[in-house]
Amino acid sequence: MADHNRRHRRSLRLKGHDYAQTGAYFVTICTQDRTCLFGEVFDGKMQLNDVGRIVDATWRAIPKHFPCVVMDQFIVMPNHLHGVLVSVGEPFMAPHHDMLASIPLSDPEGAMNPEGAMNRAPTLGDVIRAFKARVSIAIPPQTPSVPIWQRNYHERIIRNDESWAHIRRYIHNNPMQWSMDRDNHNA
C-alpha cells in the first residue's frame, strides 16, 4: 500500500536528460550541514587535513573505477567539493570486486549482470553515489550516525566552451574567495 503522507522529494536533475550519455558536468558535493571537515583555507590556498586528503584521493580515483569518466579541474574545499566530470558515454563492465561491489544500486532496467557488475554506461548519479560511499567507508567514524555528506549533490550540464572556461576559473579561484563564503565561520 502506498504511503500517501510520505514527503515527495524534488529532483535536482534536469528532467528528461540522460545522465549516462556523453557530456560534461560541473558537480558540487557538500558536507552535511556544511560542516568544515576537509581542512582550512590559509592565504587563499586550501590546506587539506587527513579527511580532505581521503576525499581528494577518492575523487582522483574515479577514472580507475569508471574508465568511461574523464576528470577535469576540481577542488576540495573545507565543506564541499567542486569538480568537472566528463562522461564519454561508453558501456562499462565493472569487475565483481570493483568500487560498486559493496554499494547497492537500484536496478530497474536490468543494468546489473548476475556477478554484480554494470553492463551499461554509469550515470552521473552512479559515479557520485559510489564516490560518496567510498569516502564514507574510508573515513574513520568520529561521531556515530552523523553523515558526512549532504543527501544530494548539485550539477550543471556544461554546454559550451565559454561556460567550461568560466567554471574552470571559478574552481581555480574558489579558495581565494573562501573569506567571503557564507559558510566560512571564520570570516
Side-chain angles (χ1 to χ4, degrees):
M1 181 153 85
D3 181 1
H4 297 288
N5 295 324
R6 196 165 109 185
R7 196 173 78 197
H8 294 283
R9 296 188 302 197
R10 185 176 66 87
S11 175
L12 300 175
R13 309 292 76 85
L14 179 63
K15 188 174 180 146
H17 182 75
D18 179 2
Y19 285 91
Q21 75 181 358
T22 299
Y25 304 97
F26 173 44
V27 176
T28 301
I29 308 170
C30 299
T31 60
Q32 183 70 26
D33 299 324
R34 303 283 177 125
T35 304
C36 293
L37 300 174
F38 306 144
E40 297 182 44
V41 175
F42 293 108
D43 295 326
K45 294 188 190 299
M46 181 62 196
Q47 304 296 315
L48 298 173
N49 60 19
D50 290 343
V51 174
R53 283 188 284 280
I54 290 170
V55 172
D56 183 86
T58 305
W59 186 261
R60 290 176 190 276
I62 288 173
K64 175 181 166 193
H65 302 288
F66 296 95
C68 60
V69 175
V70 176
M71 306 292 295
D72 197 73
Q73 193 159 353
F74 76 97
I75 185 78
V76 178
M77 293 295 292
N79 63 1
H80 64 280
L81 174 145
H82 290 302
V84 174
L85 295 175
V86 182
S87 169
V88 294
E90 295 175 358
F92 171 66
M93 272 313 253
H96 181 65
H97 294 290
D98 192 83
M99 188 178 199
L100 294 175
S102 63
I103 302 166
L105 297 174
S106 60
D107 190 24
E109 288 111 30
M112 301 296 278
N113 69 27
E115 290 80 39
M118 299 177 88
N119 55 18
R120 63 163 169 78
T123 64
L124 180 62
D126 293 335
V127 174
I128 300 302
R129 186 173 29 261
F131 164 76
K132 289 167 79 171
R134 187 70 196 120
V135 168
S136 297
I137 291 166
I139 294 174
Q142 297 172 0
T143 307
S145 75
V146 175
I148 296 167
W149 301 111
Q150 178 177 293
R151 178 187 59 81
N152 216 325
Y153 63 95
H154 302 275
E155 55 74 22
R156 182 182 325 159
I157 301 166
I158 302 173
R159 299 186 187 273
N160 58 52
D161 290 342
E162 181 181 336
S163 176
W164 202 326
H166 173 77
I167 289 166
R168 283 178 171 156
R169 281 190 305 276
Y170 178 82
I171 291 171
H172 176 77
N173 293 328
N174 207 240
M176 293 173 272
Q177 302 300 316
W178 179 245
S179 65
M180 295 177 280
D181 193 292
R182 70 172 188 237
D183 294 315
N184 177 2
H185 304 292
N186 297 324

